[in-house]
Amino acid sequence: MERTGLTPPGAVVAPDLADVLRSPGPFATVYLTTESHIENAAYHSEQHWKVLRAELADAGMPEAVLADIDTLVPDAHLAGQCLAVVAVAGGVLHVEHGPEPPPRDRARWAPLPSLVPILQWRQSLPTYLTVLADRAGADLCVYRHERPDVHREAGGGTDPLHRAAAGGWSQLRYQHRAENTWEHNADDVAGEIVSLADRFDPRLVLVAGDVRAVQLIGDALPGQVADRVEVVQGSRTEDGSDDEFAEAVRGHLAGAVATDTVHLLEKFTEELGQEDRAADGASATLAALARAQVEVLLVHEAPDDERRALFGPEPTQVGLRADELALGVDEAQEGALVDVAVRAALGTGAGVRVVPGGDLPTDGLGAILRWS
């Protein structure tokens, strides 16, 4: 286990969701199945929404806001397998699409929105860069959840691209020229990878293609970028390997996501064992959030979790009981414990990592702290 003061990467930082939480509630939160690989997908999505819409109307959500959500449903299956909407009485605040159908459709009108599924989508779909290379150059693409892909092409030198096949006095010269061309193209590709990595900070750089080209590109990359590189099966040519490449990418991403979770839990366990930068359990974690002390909130959301907590107007005004709230909170509100903790974390600039259930953190709630 790594023993260092540094916290491993992997927590989701979401200033856009922090902005959503600044709005006064109550909030409607919708998670709607929008399967795309079925016939009449739009119709099925609308039927799912019809049930949730009635629940929200009965709970008191204004008809005008329900009508706004109506317009989002028919085409939602084109963007993902689940539609998430957060709204208040004044209108829709946030829309996002998930990669998998939800375990069940959900609609809730409550003091705080339920953001854990959205955070889990984001941690499962980190930004990544793919590089399909041959000796002439490479096609590069940055993939980002809910944002446009970024495409680039690098290399292109072709004088000469292939070694001379025949013997003779000029063969060695042509071989050297070909190697120089490959190296020049690889340097150009490496430079573009570094530029994209600096701009978008991808979790992984997944490189595939011609073996010699991949080797030259790897040799040309600086260490801080080379550490993110993983070589996968694939080709720049249209040879039918697209499915194989896509499957390899999914596998490497899933592995990276799991690794990030493991490293953060290991760090939490280390700090907890040293009685240093960790808070474990609901009471200790809320106390740390009230001090804006949390660097990474670790949270597990159970479907049947009915625990509650109190919160005031400011993100740091949280507690399990009224006497734990900061002075000056005249009218505390009550919300789901997990939602109160997430609001406090995002509102204080902390990251959030959704973790599987287990012995730690206790009660499915813990934190790696900014300071002891």
Side-chain angles (χ1 to χ4, degrees):
M1 182 185 299
E2 183 184 29
R3 296 188 177 275
T4 173
L6 297 178
T7 299
V12 177
V13 179
D16 60 324
L17 298 181
D19 289 341
V20 168
L21 288 162
R22 292 190 182 98
S23 298
F27 295 82
T29 311
V30 175
Y31 289 98
L32 178 72
T33 300
T34 57
E35 295 175 286
S36 59
H37 303 300
I38 58 174
E39 290 187 20
N40 301 317
Y43 170 79
H44 286 282
S45 297
E46 289 170 334
Q47 293 303 111
H48 283 276
W49 168 233
K50 185 177 180 180
V51 175
L52 299 187
R53 193 186 200 281
E55 293 177 8
L56 290 171
D58 290 344
M61 188 172 178
E63 174 61 30
V65 185
L66 291 169
D68 288 341
I69 301 177
D70 289 341
T71 65
L72 301 172
V73 174
D75 293 333
H77 66 281
L78 301 176
Q81 303 295 305
C82 179
L83 170 67
V85 181
V86 179
V88 293
V92 172
L93 298 177
H94 184 78
V95 178
E96 197 159 327
H97 302 271
E100 300 292 340
R104 59 182 176 83
D105 291 339
R106 296 166 55 187
R108 192 181 69 179
W109 183 248
L112 291 176
S114 174
L115 300 179
V116 170
I118 293 175
L119 293 166
Q120 192 160 17
W121 293 347
R122 294 187 183 188
Q123 76 180 37
S124 70
L125 296 169
T127 298
Y128 64 98
L129 167 62
T130 63
V131 182
L132 290 171
D134 59 22
R135 299 181 192 189
D139 299 315
L140 304 93
C141 187
V142 178
Y143 295 91
R144 304 175 294 165
H145 176 57
E146 290 285 293
R147 285 173 289 178
D149 302 336
V150 178
H151 297 270
R152 295 286 187 271
E153 188 173 349
T158 59
D159 184 27
L161 193 58
H162 302 287
R163 287 174 171 167
W169 67 270
S170 63
Q171 180 180 4
L172 185 59
R173 179 165 57 91
Y174 272 99
Q175 288 177 343
H176 287 165
R177 286 180 60 188
E179 285 280 357
N180 290 338
T181 301
W182 303 343
E183 291 175 4
H184 172 78
N185 289 335
D187 288 343
D188 192 57
V189 173
E192 190 63 42
I193 291 173
V194 171
S195 176
L196 291 171
D198 287 344
R199 181 178 174 190
F200 297 106
D201 191 28
R203 171 62 180 82
L204 288 178
V205 179
L206 299 166
V207 183
D210 177 87
V211 173
R212 180 61 175 151
V214 169
Q215 179 186 6
L216 290 170
I217 291 167
D219 292 343
L221 287 171
Q224 68 270 24
V225 178
D227 289 344
R228 307 187 199 183
V229 171
E230 295 187 16
V231 177
V232 300
Q233 293 296 316
S235 173
R236 193 183 187 193
T237 59
E238 297 182 4
D239 58 0
S241 65
D242 288 355
D243 290 343
E244 181 184 22
F245 178 64
E247 184 63 28
V249 167
R250 285 192 291 269
H252 281 259
L253 280 177
V257 170
T259 296
D260 288 347
T261 297
V262 168
H263 286 171
L264 282 167
L265 286 172
E266 286 179 344
K267 185 60 179 174
F268 169 74
T269 303
E270 175 193 325
E271 296 292 348
L272 190 62
Q274 296 172 351
E275 299 183 356
D276 198 2
R277 292 194 304 122
D280 186 35
S283 181
T285 301
L286 288 183
L289 287 165
R291 296 188 293 269
Q293 192 180 3
V294 172
E295 182 179 6
V296 179
L297 176 70
L298 303 173
V299 59
H300 172 73
E301 184 178 50
D304 56 351
D305 188 355
E306 297 182 354
R307 293 175 298 169
R308 313 292 288 176
L310 300 175
F311 67 97
E314 298 300 321
T316 54
Q317 295 170 336
V318 294
L320 292 175
R321 304 184 307 272
D323 60 0
E324 295 177 348
L325 292 175
L327 295 176
V329 181
D330 296 327
E331 295 185 8
Q333 297 187 70
E334 185 180 74
L337 171 62
V338 167
D339 296 338
V340 171
V342 167
R343 172 181 179 263
L346 296 179
T348 55
V352 180
R353 189 75 184 182
V354 183
V355 299
D359 295 334
L360 290 176
T362 302
D363 302 327
L365 204 62
I368 300 171
L369 306 179
R370 292 181 167 120
W371 67 88
S372 300

